[in-house]
Structure formats: C-alpha cells, structure tokens
Amino acid sequence: MPKDYKSSITAFCIKQCGSDEEAKAKRGALEVLRTMTKKQNVGSLGDSCVPTVTSLLDFKDAEVRMSACETLQYVTVTPIGKELCIKSGAVPKLTSNLEHTNKKVRLFAAAALMQIALLTAGKQAIIDAGGLSILTKALNDEDAIKNYALQCLTNLFSNPHARMAVRGAENNEKIEELTKHKDAIVAESAKSCLAKLLWDP
C-alpha cells in the first residue's frame, strides 16, 4: 500500500474518531487503526493517532471504549507505543477502566497496562494513577484479566515503593493462593508475581 494512501486512511480514521459522528463510526475507525497498528510501527501513523484513541478511553459507549483499549493494547507492543501512551495521558484512563462494568474493557485495559509497566516511566505513571490498589482488586476478576493484572504487578514490583505498598498479609496470601489456581497460566503468573513481591535485593 503506498505510503500517502496509508496516511490518507489514517487521517480519515483519526478525523472520524475525533468527530461528533455516532459511536458506530468511531468503532469502525478504531478497527481500521487497530489493524494498521498491527501491521506497522505506530510512530508512522502520525502524532495525533495515540492522543485521539486516548480521548476515547472514557467515551460513554462501552463498545467504543473497549475498541480504544484494544487498539492501545496493540500500540503498547512497541517501546515508542508505550511512550506515546504515557505522553498522551492514557495511563490514568486505562487504570480507571480496570473497574468498568464491561469485562472486555477491563481485559484490554489490563493488557495495555501490563505492556506499559515494562517501562520505568510506565511503572511510575501507573503508581501515580492509583493502579496498585486497583490491580490488586483485579486479582478477583475473571481469569484472563486476573492473569494480566498479575503480570502487570510483577512488572511494577521492580519498583521498591510498589513492593512495599502492596506487600502485606492480605495481598501476600491472595497471590499465594493464586499460585495453586486451576488455570496453569494464572498459577505460573502468580508464582512470578509472589517471588517479585517478596524480593529483597
């Protein structure tokens, strides 16, 4: 696909996302942006792509919100994508979406935060957004969300302040209990999380 053609599609989708169009048009535009993000570096989609998607993380329509979270899940696969999400103010909104009533919103928000937490700046942004307490609550959620929350906490526990804030009998016991979870993936994530939580370098 020619570069100028891709740029035109991106510009149109960003315009649709930021317009007063119906939720359906926004969902369609987000789907195209998500597909393009999977196929190329998010940096090539232009400076306004991630901020525009971020602006939809608190949109009233749950499907639009879910699509925005899912798009950022793919954006955050790359280092530049993680940085753009932090810069655009996505972290507080993603963190808030961990408590949304729609489970897919929570799932994709948790997945994006797990990636963002790999960066030092991302760890701090999640901590500043009150993410530690919200992520520990997410350990009671459905298994896929629980797993992302465990992986995100494991990444956050590289920060000593995060370890100290979460470490305590109740949280330790909760994560230890999850090491025996029937889902092997959740159990392995819990083992890694507990080891990192109790780590004293």
Side-chain angles (χ1 to χ4, degrees), residues 22 26 31 47 55 76 84 86 113 133 175 180:
E22 294 181 357
K26 293 182 188 296
E31 186 175 343
D47 294 339
S55 72
T76 54
L84 288 169
I86 296 165
L113 287 169
S133 61
I175 297 171
K180 303 164 189 171

Side-chain angles (χ1 to χ4, degrees), residues 2-172:
K3 186 176 180 181
D4 58 344
Y5 184 56
K6 286 191 287 188
S7 298
S8 297
I9 293 175
T10 303
F12 173 76
C13 290
I14 290 171
K15 185 177 179 182
Q16 287 290 96
C17 287
S19 71
D20 293 326
E21 292 290 335
E22 294 181 357
K24 185 177 180 180
K26 293 182 188 296
R27 289 197 299 270
L30 282 165
E31 186 175 343
V32 174
L33 285 175
R34 185 167 61 251
T35 300
M36 294 180 76
T37 301
K38 289 182 192 178
K39 295 179 181 292
Q40 59 185 312
N41 191 308
V42 66
S44 67
L45 297 181
D47 294 339
S48 60
C49 178
V50 173
T52 300
V53 176
T54 295
S55 72
L56 297 176
L57 289 173
D58 50 12
F59 193 73
K60 59 186 178 181
D61 181 89
E63 291 295 317
V64 170
R65 201 182 280 224
M66 180 269 290
S67 293
C69 289
E70 186 179 8
T71 300
L72 292 187
Q73 176 194 2
Y74 289 104
V75 165
T76 54
V77 169
T78 65
I80 189 171
K82 295 176 180 68
E83 291 169 5
L84 288 169
C85 283
I86 296 165
K87 186 178 178 182
S88 72
V91 172
K93 294 183 177 186
L94 287 167
T95 303
S96 176
N97 276 322
L98 288 175
E99 298 184 299
H100 197 272
T101 54
N102 185 300
K103 67 180 180 182
K104 287 189 176 179
V105 171
R106 300 197 304 275
L107 175 67
F108 293 127
L113 287 169
M114 182 268 293
Q115 298 276 12
I116 291 169
L118 290 167
L119 295 185
T120 300
K123 290 177 176 63
Q124 193 58 55
I126 294 169
I127 293 167
D128 291 344
L132 291 170
S133 61
I134 296 175
L135 283 161
T136 53
K137 287 177 189 173
L139 298 180
N140 297 312
D141 211 320
E142 296 191 9
D143 287 354
I145 299 167
K146 189 179 293 176
N147 187 55
Y148 280 129
L150 284 164
Q151 291 180 18
C152 189
L153 285 167
T154 302
N155 292 337
L156 290 173
F157 291 156
S158 294
N159 181 307
H161 300 294
R163 290 198 303 277
M164 292 303 104
V166 174
R167 193 182 288 176
E170 185 177 346
N171 289 330
N172 292 7

